[in-house]
Amino acid sequence: MKVLIFLLAICSVSNAVVFNCTFSVINLVVVGERYTCTAGILDYEQGQELTGVFGNHILGRNSSNVVAVAINTQNALTFIPQAIHDFFPLFAALTIYNCNLTELSEYDLKDYTNLEYVRFDYNRIKRIPSGFFENTPRMRYMNFNYNQIRH
């Protein structure tokens, strides 16, 4: 009960992104099995950084082991959260699906230099900016299926 009250207090005063993670090992196309935070969003304001992560890790693992983040907010998230690597230093795979992404900026991935995998399917993206992947030299897999991309 104390945890629930604490979470509600954070959500009511916070103007930042807070993840509620379910941690598991998921097999990702091309890159293989990765320890993953499947994130529900507890609170957010557009343009804000990730400021908190909640959830119970698999025995023997912690945030230092998380390589992938998967977000499915069912049309509630309209941006790519920033500073994920501050909580998950090995962060290399990002999935944002079935959200409400409509626009991408060439700066969205600028700090995610270790990204190898992105999956942004089932969104409403209309355009991928020319510099979107400029700072991701390790990129091996990208998926933009079921969007409205024209450029």
Side-chain angles (χ1 to χ4, degrees), residues 16-31:
V17 180
V18 179
F19 285 171
N20 182 20
C21 293
T22 301
F23 295 100
S24 61
V25 177
I26 295 178
N27 190 11
L28 302 175
V29 175
V30 178
V31 295

Side-chain angles (χ1 to χ4, degrees), residues 106-124:
E106 63 187 62
Y107 304 107
D108 284 337
L109 303 181
K110 73 178 172 78
D111 292 329
Y112 297 151
T113 57
N114 291 327
L115 272 181
E116 299 176 4
Y117 176 104
V118 293
R119 183 177 147 210
F120 297 134
D121 49 338
Y122 293 98
N123 283 288
R124 298 180 184 151

Side-chain angles (χ1 to χ4, degrees), residues 22-62:
T22 301
F23 295 100
S24 61
V25 177
I26 295 178
N27 190 11
L28 302 175
V29 175
V30 178
V31 295
E33 289 187 349
R34 298 293 185 258
Y35 189 50
T36 303
C37 158
T38 301
I41 306 294
L42 290 176
D43 191 27
Y44 74 89
E45 180 178 302
Q46 187 164 341
Q48 295 292 323
E49 296 180 352
L50 181 63
T51 60
V53 174
F54 296 94
N56 295 317
H57 287 279
I58 293 175
L59 187 61
R61 303 216 184 182
N62 59 42

Side-chain angles (χ1 to χ4, degrees), residues 2 4 30 44 59 61 68 71 76 78 97 99 117 120 134:
K2 290 181 181 180
L4 180 58
V30 178
Y44 74 89
L59 187 61
R61 303 216 184 182
I71 303 168
T78 60
Y97 62 100
C99 292
Y117 176 104
F120 297 134
E134 185 173 313

Side-chain angles (χ1 to χ4, degrees), residues 35-146:
Y35 189 50
T36 303
C37 158
T38 301
I41 306 294
L42 290 176
D43 191 27
Y44 74 89
E45 180 178 302
Q46 187 164 341
Q48 295 292 323
E49 296 180 352
L50 181 63
T51 60
V53 174
F54 296 94
N56 295 317
H57 287 279
I58 293 175
L59 187 61
R61 303 216 184 182
N62 59 42
S63 293
S64 301
N65 303 117
V66 173
V67 175
V69 172
I71 303 168
N72 174 357
T73 61
Q74 298 178 351
N75 296 320
L77 188 69
T78 60
F79 60 95
I80 297 173
Q82 297 301 302
I84 294 171
H85 57 288
D86 290 350
F87 289 86
F88 306 125
L90 296 179
F91 172 62
L94 177 62
T95 299
I96 299 178
Y97 62 100
N98 196 28
C99 292
N100 200 22
L101 284 178
T102 56
E103 292 185 32
L104 300 173
S105 160
E106 63 187 62
Y107 304 107
D108 284 337
L109 303 181
K110 73 178 172 78
D111 292 329
Y112 297 151
T113 57
N114 291 327
L115 272 181
E116 299 176 4
Y117 176 104
V118 293
R119 183 177 147 210
F120 297 134
D121 49 338
Y122 293 98
N123 283 288
R124 298 180 184 151
I125 299 167
K126 295 181 171 119
R127 178 181 162 276
I128 301 171
S130 61
F132 189 66
F133 292 106
E134 185 173 313
N135 296 306
T136 58
R138 297 180 175 184
M139 188 62 61
R140 296 192 297 164
Y141 179 84
M142 57 189 87
N143 181 337
F144 288 89
N145 287 335
Y146 305 102

